[in-house]
Amino acid sequence: MDQTFLVNVFGSCDKCFKKRALRPVFKKSQQLSYCSTCAEIMATDGLHENETLASLKSEAETLKGKLEEERAKLHDVELHQVAERVEALGQFVMKTRRTLKGHGNKVLCMDWCKDKRRIVSSSQDGKVIVWDSFTTNKEHAVTMPCTWVMACAYAPSGCAIACGGLDNKCSVYPLTFDKNENMAAKKKSVAMHTNYLSACSFTNSDMQILTASGDGTCALWDVESGQLLQSFHGHGADVLCLDLAPSETGNTFVSGGCDKKAMVWDMRSGQCVQAFETHESDVNSVRYYPSGDAFASGSDDATCRLYDLRADREVAIYSKESIIFGASSVDFSLSGRLLFAGYNDYTINVWDVLKGSRVSILFGHENRVSTLRVSPDGTAFCSGSWDHTLRVWA
Amino acid sequence: MQPTKGPCVTCQYKCAPVCPKRLASRRWRWLWDRRMKEGVFNNSSTSISQARKAVEQLKMEACMDRVKVSQAAADLLAYCEAHMREDPLIIPVPASENPFREKKFFCTIL
């Protein structure tokens, strides 16, 4: 089964004593090592009376049906109906204020620093660059040993960055202004997955990192020791994105994956608290609403959807017939009134979250928009694209 | 667990381990179909434990306390209205205070 750390042990099976590749199996809280054939026999033995795969599946279906009924009972009104009394937004004039050029290939991910000024971005050519968005100067540049650096994140203190991609690892680089020091020398490998790293994020401190991977799991790591603190299993396919709940005491995060599901997890127990499966294709990006009570997701089915956590259902869909390309990344403005979404048709659509209508469409990129983040103080947002540039809009 | 959908290492498409470009070749397509039929990616023991886990998960989710959509929507609206004034992208701050809009030159004179 896909574990975050699949150790390949080779030896004699505890049951049949043949020399095979072994898997850990727990029998009455005792760990044994069985080969895959014995493990399968064990699992079928473990079926209770009258329990077959088919009966379990049909039970799951009936439970799902009941869940839908419960959710539908509370669906008394639509969000845009409640929002009719709110005044409409005026015309928006948002332009590219800065263009950050310097990457040699597609920009895959970016993140803002808490000082509202610095940006870290990573690209397909393996380079991770730290920019000063006011002056467009490059402050640091690191070359990763792998291509397709799909995830990068800035530490809350501003003293380190984390990045990873096809190397299946998440590496933390402390940022130093000493020109004589080689940043790559101080690199620390924190996470180890069995497939590519798709997203990473520091928690409230520099000491813990949350990662999402193509092996279908998310994991929480301690930066100092590199130890796995908690792993989150439940997605049936690659996990593509994650976002942490905004509040200081919040202990949940949401993740979206190729199994069309968005799942909300409890970081302490490792359990999935809520799951939403209304998208029709891969969920590329998830972002919490600033209050923490809802989250938005962008997907390859060309829609963005808003899910409310307390009502436990989808409350709004942001789509238009003219939009046929998938949304690769979404983010909210500071108040949560605007939802910025970058699409694969090279545009950025700005949606009115409450009324469900599109407010503005921004052109400028010459290839698909792969990443989009609003700055911590909400004065601007930055988008990265496959056209090798990042643009800061305000 | 479905086969992974990471970026194909030879081209840029986010796709199955064998990308559509390769599947166009008949030999690859044949290999791929054979592996799918053999169920290399499906394992019966894992299916049973997965099904059991899914049932447990659904039972847990069924016990959740839910709020009416009208209540949840009202709260979202309230938060929005409370913070809209401070949102620089909705109520633009004067150009002198927005570091991106002002026409200041950041170059130092040598």
Side-chain angles (χ1 to χ4, degrees):
Chain A
M1 187 55 199
D2 311 90
Q3 299 275 324
T4 319
F5 45 98
L6 193 66
V7 178
N8 277 324
V9 182
F10 204 82
S12 33
C13 168
D14 285 336
K15 191 166 180 188
C16 61
F17 304 110
K18 290 191 191 156
K19 278 225 160 139
R20 298 260 164 87
L22 302 176
R23 250 192 260 163
V25 155
F26 290 90
K27 196 172 185 178
K28 293 192 175 58
S29 67
Q30 187 199 8
Q31 183 175 347
L32 302 164
S33 299
Y34 280 5
C35 65
S36 52
T37 338
C38 291
E40 209 172 299
I41 299 172
M42 252 283 293
T44 41
D45 282 350
L47 276 175
H48 302 306
E49 273 215 30
N50 304 328
E51 202 187 71
T52 60
L53 188 60
S55 74
L56 278 171
K57 284 202 172 151
S58 63
E59 200 183 334
E61 288 303 311
T62 43
L63 278 169
K64 264 193 214 164
K66 274 199 200 144
L67 208 61
E68 278 313 307
E69 263 180 53
E70 287 293 314
R71 283 176 174 169
K73 274 188 209 160
L74 299 163
H75 189 197
D76 48 355
V77 78
E78 296 281 346
L79 177 62
H80 61 85
Q81 289 170 319
V82 177
E84 262 161 26
R85 64 173 183 78
V86 181
E87 51 179 70
L89 295 165
Q91 270 298 345
F92 274 94
V93 179
M94 257 180 269
K95 289 199 279 192
T96 304
R97 305 288 172 177
R98 303 282 191 277
T99 308
L100 305 177
K101 294 189 199 186
H103 275 295
N105 214 322
K106 312 177 177 65
V107 176
L108 300 174
C109 185
M110 55 116 349
D111 192 15
W112 286 88
C113 178
K114 290 243 158 53
D115 69 359
K116 311 149 206 167
R117 182 169 171 158
R118 293 192 173 75
I119 291 177
V120 62
S121 64
S122 65
S123 87
Q124 193 200 341
D125 60 359
K127 288 233 168 32
V128 178
I129 301 181
V130 177
W131 313 79
D132 176 346
S133 60
F134 291 177
T135 59
T136 75
N137 289 335
K138 300 179 199 35
E139 293 193 347
H140 300 92
V142 182
T143 307
M144 292 275 288
C146 66
T147 57
W148 285 91
V149 188
M150 289 179 266
C152 63
Y154 226 117
S157 65
C159 298
I161 53 169
C163 45
L166 283 187
D167 57 353
N168 301 358
K169 293 192 270 207
C170 184
S171 315
V172 175
Y173 292 87
L175 294 174
T176 166
F177 277 98
D178 189 349
K179 296 242 189 303
N180 296 327
E181 238 180 279
N182 183 7
M183 264 181 71
K186 292 254 166 156
K187 161 177 141 168
K188 193 186 287 197
S189 277
V190 174
M192 285 290 293
H193 279 279
T194 51
N195 210 327
Y196 68 93
L197 195 87
S198 53
C200 67
S201 170
F202 281 88
T203 58
N204 289 328
S205 75
D206 276 16
M207 289 292 101
Q208 292 182 350
I209 285 192
L210 195 56
T211 58
S213 163
D215 62 11
T217 66
C218 303
L220 181 66
W221 308 84
D222 176 74
V223 174
E224 266 310 312
S225 58
Q227 209 190 358
L228 174 71
L229 297 172
Q230 185 65 262
S231 73
F232 306 91
H233 298 252
H235 275 286
D238 307 15
V239 185
L240 294 177
C241 51
L242 59 81
D243 189 36
L244 279 142
S247 79
E248 288 295 320
T249 54
N251 272 313
T252 59
F253 72 94
V254 59
S255 66
C258 289
D259 56 354
K260 311 176 198 169
K261 280 201 251 183
M263 301 173 87
V264 182
W265 307 84
D266 177 350
M267 288 209 297
R268 281 167 303 182
S269 66
Q271 288 291 337
C272 168
V273 175
Q274 284 168 287
F276 302 91
E277 200 174 351
T278 58
H279 270 295
E280 290 155 22
S281 187
D282 307 351
V283 179
N284 291 320
S285 164
V286 286
R287 194 69 68 203
Y288 265 98
Y289 191 78
S291 70
D293 285 332
F295 69 92
S297 61
S299 157
D300 272 347
D301 63 4
T303 65
C304 297
R305 292 171 200 236
L306 184 71
Y307 297 92
D308 189 290
L309 294 173
R310 294 179 318 147
D312 193 31
R313 59 172 298 123
E314 170 194 299
V315 290
I317 305 185
Y318 307 103
S319 67
K320 259 185 142 55
E321 273 192 30
S322 52
I323 302 177
I324 52 171
F325 285 86
S328 59
S329 65
V330 297
D331 203 354
F332 284 102
S333 68
L334 201 65
S335 62
R337 182 71 194 268
L338 297 174
L339 179 71
F340 300 97
Y343 287 79
N344 293 342
D345 61 357
Y346 315 177
T347 63
I348 298 173
N349 287 303
V350 187
W351 300 90
D352 181 335
V353 170
L354 303 174
K355 291 192 185 282
S357 56
R358 182 170 66 184
V359 165
S360 175
I361 178 167
L362 303 172
F363 299 94
H365 278 295
E366 290 155 20
N367 208 321
R368 47 164 99 172
V369 179
S370 53
T371 174
L372 195 154
R373 292 294 284 264
V374 173
S375 77
D377 61 351
T379 46
F381 69 92
C382 180
S383 58
S385 157
W386 280 16
D387 66 0
H388 311 354
T389 64
L390 291 115
R391 281 173 186 248
V392 181
W393 307 75
Chain B
M1 170 100 176
Q2 295 167 33
T4 184
K5 270 194 181 181
C8 176
V9 290
T10 51
C11 64
Q12 65 249 38
Y13 299 102
K14 181 180 71 170
C15 52
V18 182
C19 85
K21 280 188 181 173
R22 280 203 228 161
L23 277 179
S25 122
R26 272 205 289 179
R27 183 171 173 273
W28 272 107
R29 167 115 251 169
W30 178 82
L31 262 175
W32 179 248
D33 285 343
R34 224 184 79 164
R35 287 179 78 190
M36 288 304 275
K37 249 193 284 179
E38 280 170 18
V40 158
F41 305 111
N42 288 331
N43 194 332
S44 65
S45 62
T46 49
S47 303
I48 290 169
S49 56
Q50 267 179 335
R52 215 184 264 141
K53 270 188 217 157
V55 169
E56 292 299 324
Q57 179 64 37
L58 286 165
K59 283 189 186 153
M60 242 174 51
E61 282 180 31
C63 311
M64 215 193 108
D65 280 326
R66 285 179 198 86
V67 168
K68 282 201 172 176
V69 174
S70 47
Q71 171 73 42
D75 288 343
L76 288 176
L77 243 81
Y79 183 90
C80 218
E81 295 192 313
H83 290 83
M84 261 206 291
R85 253 161 287 279
E86 303 150 5
D87 191 337
L89 288 168
I90 295 190
I91 312 247
V93 284
S96 52
E97 284 178 39
N98 189 333
F100 292 105
R101 288 200 188 187
E102 62 187 23
K103 292 216 181 273
K104 211 162 114 180
F105 292 101
F106 283 93
C107 311
T108 50
I109 314 262
L110 291 168

